Amino acid sequence: MTRIPLTTPVPSALADELAKRVYFISDAITGFSLIRSGDEITGVDMITETSSPVDPVELARKLHVVVTNDVLGQRHVEPKVVWRAATPGTARYAFDELLARGAATELGEGQIALGEPVLSLMDHLDGEIRALVMAEFGAREYRYPTLMTADALRRTGYAESFPQLLMFVSRLHGDVDSYQGFLDSLAESGDLSEALREHGGGFDHCLPPTMCFHTYHQFADRTLPAPSLVVTACGKSFRHESRYRRSLERLWDFTIREIVFLGSPEFVLSSRTRLMEGVYALMESLGLGGRCEVASDPFFLNEGTAARTWSQRLLEQKYELRLPLDEEAEGGSVGSEDRPRDVSVASFNYHEQFFGRSFGILDAVGEPVFTGCAGFGLERLAFAFLCRHGVDPEGWPTAVRTAVAL
């Protein structure tokens, strides 16, 4: 255990902002707890890898950079709640039961194989969201490839805002000597990772951190084919969650149903509101109590972290739909081992002209279009449903049990 005092204490109100960043300070950190004194965080106790000693001075330097840049400048405000619903019953954390039943199997860091009844439930929930979007907006649906080009990712601005979450795709250098060298290294050491590091280097593609980026890439550098457009897609997204990985609510490899709005600001904002209202009704019909509140993104090592976070909240550019997972659990910080009380299953975002400008998507008069999007994490949504209604389909609402028909 290494105790690192903070040069400047962090207000306890910002404890979660600090906790959600600690693991990204160094891969060597395997656990931590925040040291509290009164209403301040005065230090961090860190557990580090024992196989290779870590310099505490370097850890302190890195912690200081993150605290100074990303945490201290933030203002704490209680999240504004725009919708709340309560339902009978109590949510109980269901992951251990999923493991025991063989409905979930951990295969690696942030990677979980799923079986029934989770698969059919995810398909049903996705179908409900898709039906809502089609009925309300007549959306165009696409199926996008998993990979996206590094150039397209660069245009999203994601690399500057969330470098800690990026995951890239590598390949071997495209020549005979590279292939032969790779085979020789593999035969000699048997270490695939080391052979790739020595002979890899093609980083022209990446794993998309969210689905909507494919849509902006699809319509890049041309005029929108209609005054306004709604696009939906479902597919895989990827984020390096470090040691924050946790059952089905924080995966490195997960499934998103995305809805993208493109057009005038009035169209985008009104469409977002209509979708949110439809989703509230859907949640209530599923017997899922929860809340929707103003939120912000986890900007990291960005010069304007505090200002961007405050602006997002002030202008209500992002809302999160949060559902309970375990109403009997003790509350804890993001970095603690305590089970989270709730999880964000969807977000509803307004980007103004950012993506229209960065991708050159223009309206009929040549101006960058306004955009917004909503993304639903299907594993998270299904997990929240199972925590509320139980793993056994016999306990599910009749309409869901009948539709899934397991």
Side-chain angles (χ1 to χ4, degrees):
M1 178 83 72
T2 302
R3 174 160 292 193
I4 301 180
L6 296 178
T7 305
T8 304
V10 172
S12 290
L14 296 176
D16 279 353
E17 293 298 326
L18 172 57
K20 70 176 62 171
R21 291 170 168 83
V22 172
Y23 281 129
F24 292 117
I25 290 171
S26 170
D27 280 342
I29 301 171
T30 60
F32 73 90
S33 58
L34 305 182
I35 305 167
R36 299 174 185 266
S37 177
D39 61 352
E40 293 181 328
I41 307 299
T42 58
V44 182
D45 280 335
M46 296 186 182
I47 302 171
T48 57
E49 296 279 5
T50 57
S51 57
S52 55
V54 179
D55 183 356
V57 175
E58 271 299 287
L59 273 184
R61 180 188 65 79
K62 294 173 183 178
L63 176 62
H64 176 73
V65 169
V66 170
V67 168
T68 302
N69 191 83
D70 288 358
V71 180
L72 286 176
Q74 294 198 40
R75 310 184 201 182
H76 174 72
V77 292
E78 287 299 319
K80 176 183 175 182
V81 177
V82 297
W83 172 80
R84 189 188 299 273
T87 58
T90 300
R92 296 180 58 191
Y93 204 74
F95 189 63
D96 289 343
E97 187 175 355
L98 289 175
L99 291 176
R101 286 171 171 252
T105 306
E106 297 182 271
L107 299 181
E109 295 184 355
Q111 300 169 66
I112 295 177
L114 295 173
E116 296 294 3
V118 188
L119 292 180
S120 293
L121 178 60
M122 285 176 60
D123 288 343
H124 173 68
L125 295 173
D126 179 47
E128 291 288 287
I129 297 167
R130 180 186 179 279
L132 168 64
V133 172
M134 290 301 186
E136 187 71 26
F137 304 105
R140 297 186 185 185
E141 186 167 26
Y142 292 94
R143 180 171 297 176
Y144 293 118
T146 296
L147 300 183
M148 69 180 303
T149 66
D151 287 342
L153 177 71
R154 184 69 178 81
R155 297 177 78 168
T156 68
Y158 198 92
E160 291 84 352
S161 298
F162 316 106
Q164 79 279 19
L165 301 178
L166 290 174
M167 299 180 73
F168 293 93
V169 178
S170 180
R171 55 186 172 78
L172 299 176
H173 292 294
D175 65 75
V176 170
D177 291 341
S178 175
Y179 301 142
Q180 186 61 61
F182 169 76
L183 294 174
D184 292 343
S185 297
L186 191 59
E188 180 178 345
S189 67
D191 189 330
L192 180 60
S193 296
E194 182 59 35
L196 285 172
R197 277 191 290 270
E198 184 177 354
H199 299 284
F203 295 103
D204 45 6
H205 285 78
C206 60
L207 296 171
T210 189
M211 287 296 296
C212 63
F213 290 171
H214 288 298
T215 301
Y216 308 132
H217 189 199
Q218 177 183 6
F219 294 101
D221 302 317
R222 59 191 176 103
T223 301
L224 201 65
S228 59
L229 195 62
V230 180
V231 172
T232 187
C234 183
K236 284 289 190 176
S237 295
F238 306 82
R239 295 175 193 170
H240 173 243
E241 294 285 0
S242 186
R243 287 186 166 87
Y244 294 108
R245 62 187 185 274
R246 188 173 46 220
S247 77
L248 295 183
E249 68 265 28
R250 196 168 290 277
L251 297 169
W252 291 15
D253 173 347
F254 56 99
T255 314
I256 290 183
R257 164 62 66 177
E258 191 91 35
I259 301 94
V260 181
F261 305 107
L262 306 97
S264 68
E266 295 80 13
F267 170 78
V268 172
L269 287 170
S270 65
S271 297
R272 182 177 69 160
T273 298
R274 286 162 55 199
L275 177 61
M276 290 169 66
E277 291 171 349
V279 169
Y280 301 157
L282 175 60
M283 294 300 106
E284 292 179 11
S285 74
L286 292 169
L288 297 177
R291 70 188 187 280
C292 188
E293 64 188 26
V294 177
S296 60
D297 287 312
F299 301 110
F300 189 73
L301 295 183
N302 187 279
E303 292 183 2
T305 290
R308 293 179 71 181
T309 300
W310 176 246
S311 176
Q312 262 192 327
R313 290 185 175 274
L314 185 67
L315 300 176
E316 299 188 16
Q317 293 178 323
K318 182 182 186 71
Y319 298 100
E320 284 186 347
L321 177 64
R322 305 192 69 89
L323 303 181
L325 298 179
D326 192 345
E327 292 165 339
E328 296 178 346
E330 295 181 1
S333 70
V334 173
S336 74
E337 294 303 317
D338 295 330
R339 291 167 176 165
R341 294 181 63 89
D342 59 28
V343 67
S344 172
V345 301
S347 66
F348 308 89
N349 311 284
Y350 177 52
H351 317 121
E352 298 183 319
Q353 290 175 294
F354 177 82
F355 289 114
R357 185 175 296 110
S358 61
F359 278 90
I361 309 171
L362 307 178
D363 62 19
V365 296
E367 290 295 315
V369 299
F370 290 76
T371 66
C373 73
F376 295 81
L378 297 182
E379 288 89 355
R380 288 183 176 188
L381 181 55
F383 188 51
F385 180 96
L386 294 169
C387 289
R388 169 64 69 178
H389 296 297
V391 173
D392 187 348
E394 288 300 317
W396 296 358
T398 302
V400 178
R401 188 173 65 249
T402 302
V404 173
L406 289 171

